[in-house]
Amino acid sequence: MVCIPTNGLGGVGYSFWTNNPAYHRLAAMHQIIFDTEYRKTLLKDGATDFVLAEYERSMKELGFLSVDAEILCYGIPVAWYWQMLQVMVDVPLIGFLFTYPTVDQVSTTSWLMTGLFVQYAATRMKKSIDNVKTSQKPLHEVLGVAERFYKGLTVKGLLKQGRRPYPDRTHSLSMGMRISFRNVSLVHQSSLCIHPAVQNVSFNIAPGQFVLLVGQNGSGKTSLLHLISGLFEPSEGVISIDGVPAQEFNSLSLRQAMVVLLQTEEIYPLSIRDNLFMSLSELDKARCHLKSDYLDQSAEMGGSYRFINSLTEKYETVLNPVGHFNTSSDIVGNGPVSSAVVEEMRRNAPRMSSIPISGGEKQRLIASRAFMKLNNYSGVKLLVVDEATSALDAIAERNLLERFRSHSVGKTTIFVTHRFQYLAHQADLILCMHEGKLIQQGTHGRLMSDLEGEYAKLYRAQLDPEH
């Protein structure tokens, strides 16, 4: 009866992109905030305030703007008068007409307007459901994304925020962080099972000590480090920092005094420069921006200098940009996209494909980010390296860990590495984990005296991998 265009361009296929840097910045911050992959990296870097401030700044520059480019694939909205006509003709009001005899006390005009409102609401609901149906993802995956998003909103509430700033003038010492665990347990709960990751662990790490944390895969080492760095709170027991219960400290100021390299860290969808600066305070960032030597020095120490300088844009390179260009989809009534439209997009849209990097290159970049903070923030009192060199060969790993060791003066240092035999004699304390329990602790010599102990078995396996 009425020919209504399927999109705001008269029904033809189209492409879309933007060269506005503020939009790409906004899209990157949006992904960092809402993608669960970045959550641990963001928390341990203490960069949440920076990301939220950048997101707000980009929003103010652009105005209120959605970054959900996927919606644009399904159609540009038609003009308002077409939408009103579509509301009236899309689904007939026959069902609502049957209510007319029952509304004697309601005017015909009010009844009709109510019917139109019901029709509009139903149409909008249908459109929302259609968006889910055309999302190219199974329904359980769509619902899973929503569940993870709402769980993410509760993270801040689960981590208790103390008011005491760190370091504490009355308790903290200049030579590093004192860490104490008293009967600490950590239980991971899910809808399917309850998994005790750490069970009744107690130990003391003195300020400035060099500590090795060893154990087989799945023994609880990473969970223990997450407790130390404040990414998890214990299910039971007490963790003390410099003799003060950890929950009494402000978590942001406590993390600012730490440099933590996790097993699984992400490269933010920002420039390499921004990635290296991410864990610095605004004051330190401003100072480092004035001299490129700070970047080069940290890149050299982390082993990423040659890789970065092989890139055309060097420190301004975005390795994994957030892609926001595409063409319309023809499954919802849009016309075909011509080859000329596609070619125009390819010629004018910015590069949005990721630059592939190896696992070793990624770890070197993350190590360079750690050195950036070690070199430019004097308040670091704890250095944690959790198997962050697993993709490097033995020589490269040893050289990198030695550079970290050279920066550990005046800091408490904790290393986790499978190849620990050359570090064992240097360690002031070795903690040996097995199935979530701390089963041995002491120096290398003391632990090796128990020839049948777990540590001695692990150490001998380092010397003779075949047995």
Side-chain angles (χ1 to χ4, degrees):
M1 182 178 68
V2 179
C3 183
I4 301 176
T6 56
N7 63 42
L9 298 176
V12 300
Y14 54 87
S15 63
F16 56 89
W17 69 88
T18 178
N19 289 304
N20 188 331
Y23 183 87
H24 293 295
R25 185 79 168 177
L26 176 68
M29 296 302 167
H30 184 275
Q31 180 160 317
I32 292 171
I33 292 169
F34 291 102
D35 193 327
T36 55
E37 287 184 358
Y38 298 100
R39 187 156 297 151
K40 286 182 182 177
T41 308
L42 192 63
L43 285 174
K44 68 94 184 172
D45 282 341
T48 51
D49 286 348
F50 166 75
V51 171
L52 291 172
E54 285 293 291
Y55 186 86
E56 183 178 4
R57 185 185 63 80
S58 298
M59 285 290 286
K60 287 180 178 178
E61 185 173 343
L62 292 167
F64 182 77
L65 186 65
S66 171
V67 294
D68 189 358
E70 188 175 358
I71 293 176
L72 293 175
C73 296
Y74 301 118
I76 297 173
V78 297
W80 66 269
Y81 43 85
W82 286 118
Q83 292 185 29
M84 291 299 296
L85 185 58
Q86 188 168 352
V87 166
M88 289 187 287
V89 303
D90 206 18
V91 179
L93 295 174
I94 295 176
F96 190 77
L97 287 173
F98 283 112
T99 68
Y100 182 71
T102 67
V103 290
D104 295 335
Q105 297 180 350
V106 180
S107 69
T108 301
T109 302
S110 297
W111 167 78
L112 183 58
M113 291 304 296
T114 302
L116 288 174
F117 175 77
V118 170
Q119 174 66 28
Y120 179 75
T123 303
R124 298 301 295 178
M125 181 177 292
K126 177 179 180 296
K127 184 176 180 181
S128 298
I129 295 172
D130 286 342
N131 283 340
V132 173
K133 289 167 59 179
T134 58
S135 68
Q136 310 286 327
K137 297 178 181 178
L139 180 60
H140 70 85
E141 187 174 335
V142 175
L143 296 176
V145 171
E147 181 183 13
R148 289 195 298 273
F149 168 70
Y150 284 108
K151 281 184 177 179
L153 294 179
T154 66
V155 168
K156 187 173 182 180
L158 291 175
L159 297 175
K160 297 177 183 177
Q161 286 286 342
R163 295 185 177 182
R164 188 192 296 254
Y166 188 86
D168 183 280
R169 294 181 180 179
T170 59
H171 294 83
S172 300
L173 301 174
S174 60
M175 68 281 294
M177 189 179 288
R178 177 187 290 112
I179 302 168
S180 174
F181 274 46
R182 286 290 174 270
N183 307 116
V184 171
S185 296
L186 174 66
V187 176
H188 293 309
Q189 297 188 20
S190 69
S191 58
L192 299 177
C193 66
I194 297 177
H195 171 62
V198 175
Q199 302 179 56
N200 198 33
V201 168
S202 297
F203 61 81
N204 291 305
I205 298 176
Q209 279 193 322
F210 173 45
V211 180
L212 275 182
L213 182 56
V214 303
Q216 299 180 32
N217 288 337
S219 61
K221 303 187 301 295
T222 295
S223 294
L224 193 67
L225 292 181
H226 285 173
L227 287 166
I228 291 173
S229 57
L231 294 176
F232 293 157
E233 286 195 344
S235 306
E236 295 179 4
V238 178
I239 300 174
S240 297
I241 303 296
D242 295 344
V244 178
Q247 66 267 24
E248 291 187 17
F249 289 112
N250 174 271
S251 61
L252 288 178
S253 66
L254 191 57
R255 290 196 187 105
Q256 189 64 27
M258 302 177 181
V259 170
V260 180
L261 280 80
L262 301 175
Q263 268 189 50
T264 53
E265 282 200 38
E266 298 302 323
I267 302 293
Y268 297 108
L270 304 169
S271 69
I272 292 176
R273 179 188 299 273
D274 281 339
N275 268 276
L276 296 183
F277 284 167
M278 185 61 82
S279 59
L280 294 180
S281 67
E282 292 305 309
L283 183 62
D284 289 330
K285 284 178 189 174
R287 180 169 52 82
C288 292
H289 268 297
L290 298 177
K291 292 184 66 176
S292 62
D293 293 352
Y294 291 110
L295 287 167
D296 292 341
Q297 181 188 28
S298 299
E300 285 272 15
M301 298 183 75
S304 62
Y305 180 80
R306 290 179 61 185
F307 166 69
I308 293 172
N309 280 275
S310 71
L311 301 170
T312 304
E313 296 179 275
K314 296 184 170 48
Y315 291 106
E316 307 311 320
T317 304
V318 180
L319 295 172
N320 49 346
V322 180
H324 279 307
F325 68 91
N326 213 323
T327 59
S328 59
S329 172
D330 60 3
I331 64 175
V332 287
N334 296 311
V337 181
S338 69
S339 57
V341 169
V342 174
E343 181 58 32
E344 182 74 9
M345 179 186 68
R346 289 175 177 171
R347 187 167 55 249
N348 293 287
R351 178 191 63 82
M352 283 298 158
S353 58
S354 296
I355 297 176
I357 62 174
S358 68
E361 288 167 337
K362 180 180 179 181
Q363 288 188 336
R364 289 185 178 95
L365 278 170
I366 291 170
S368 298
R369 183 161 66 197
F371 277 115
M372 176 61 72
K373 185 172 180 179
L374 283 171
N375 292 336
N376 296 287
Y377 180 62
S378 60
V380 175
K381 297 191 176 296
L382 175 65
L383 170 62
V384 175
V385 181
D386 178 18
E387 295 189 51
T389 55
S390 57
L392 304 180
D393 60 65
I395 295 176
E397 179 191 53
R398 185 166 185 164
N399 291 337
L400 183 58
L401 291 180
E402 284 180 354
R403 287 195 290 274
F404 277 121
R405 283 282 290 136
S406 69
H407 273 64
S408 65
V409 178
K411 303 172 184 66
T412 302
T413 306
I414 304 174
F415 280 2
V416 178
T417 174
H418 284 300
R419 297 180 284 237
F420 63 83
Q421 72 275 15
Y422 65 93
L423 294 167
H425 295 278
Q426 304 174 35
D428 301 303
L429 176 65
I430 298 172
L431 304 176
C432 183
M433 297 288 293
H434 182 71
E435 295 183 352
K437 298 177 181 178
L438 179 61
I439 57 173
Q440 289 180 288
Q441 58 179 306
T443 61
H444 171 72
R446 178 183 173 186
L447 297 183
M448 286 299 293
S449 65
D450 181 1
L451 298 179
E452 298 304 314
E454 180 72 10
Y455 176 78
K457 293 177 183 178
L458 291 171
Y459 185 79
R460 288 197 295 270
Q462 299 273 310
L463 303 177
D464 187 6
E466 298 299 323
H467 295 86

